[in-house]
Amino acid sequence: MIAEQRVNELTPRATYAGVVLKNKSLVTITLIAKDYGMSGQGMNTLLHDLGVQYRQGKTWLLYSKYQKTGWTQSETALIPMDDGTKKAVMTTKWTQKGRLGLYELLKRHGILPLIETVDEKKGA
């Protein structure tokens, strides 16, 4: 009985982790936020409130505690300007390891992705 309950508790996590880890590409915070039914801006604010990241100018950076986790990578894009020049803009993107790390962190705070809340409602 206890083993069955434990399997039922771990199945949604394993499903989510499996989906996440199959994808090797970098993702924006907006895509991660959509897993939780949130906007990118809302997720950035939440992660700031949880002490994960801070904003410097227009870029979100990880606090030192998370800098060596491999959760994010910076990408630079060249944006064409009206005068014909290009401006380099740096953005922070999340690795799949980071996406899973956020999952664990948010779960500890009682915040689950929609895939798990839907599964829980079906089982209730």
Side-chain angles (χ1 to χ4, degrees), residues 29-30 33 38-50 53-55 60 94:
I29 196 65
T30 301
M38 301 173 69
S39 68
Q41 185 176 12
M43 180 64 80
N44 276 328
T45 300
L46 174 62
L47 295 177
H48 173 71
D49 293 345
L50 293 174
Q53 63 182 10
Y54 64 97
R55 193 168 186 150
W60 287 98
W94 292 80

Side-chain angles (χ1 to χ4, degrees), residues 84-100:
T85 61
K86 293 184 180 182
K87 177 181 177 182
V89 177
M90 189 161 59
T91 59
T92 300
K93 294 204 176 172
W94 292 80
T95 63
Q96 297 306 320
K97 181 179 178 183
R99 189 175 175 193
L100 193 56

Side-chain angles (χ1 to χ4, degrees), residues 4 61 104 108:
E4 182 180 337
L61 302 169
E104 297 290 346
R108 286 193 301 272

Side-chain angles (χ1 to χ4, degrees), residues 7-124:
V7 167
N8 290 337
E9 289 172 4
L10 293 175
T11 298
R13 180 195 180 279
T15 300
Y16 182 76
V19 169
V20 168
L21 292 175
K22 282 181 189 174
N23 185 343
K24 300 296 182 196
S25 62
L26 297 176
V27 294
T28 64
I29 196 65
T30 301
L31 290 175
I32 295 172
K34 293 301 175 192
D35 287 348
Y36 293 85
M38 301 173 69
S39 68
Q41 185 176 12
M43 180 64 80
N44 276 328
T45 300
L46 174 62
L47 295 177
H48 173 71
D49 293 345
L50 293 174
V52 174
Q53 63 182 10
Y54 64 97
R55 193 168 186 150
Q56 182 173 347
K58 294 184 178 185
T59 305
W60 287 98
L61 302 169
L62 297 181
Y63 281 112
S64 59
K65 176 180 178 181
Y66 296 99
Q67 282 178 344
K68 294 183 181 178
T69 58
W71 284 11
T72 61
Q73 289 184 14
S74 296
E75 279 191 352
T76 303
L78 294 176
I79 309 297
M81 306 302 288
D82 291 338
D83 65 3
T85 61
K86 293 184 180 182
K87 177 181 177 182
V89 177
M90 189 161 59
T91 59
T92 300
K93 294 204 176 172
W94 292 80
T95 63
Q96 297 306 320
K97 181 179 178 183
R99 189 175 175 193
L100 193 56
L102 290 180
Y103 167 80
E104 297 290 346
L105 175 80
L106 294 172
K107 186 171 183 172
R108 286 193 301 272
H109 289 276
I111 302 166
L112 298 172
L114 295 176
I115 191 172
E116 288 193 29
T117 58
V118 169
D119 287 345
E120 286 180 4
K121 288 177 185 173
K122 286 180 186 176

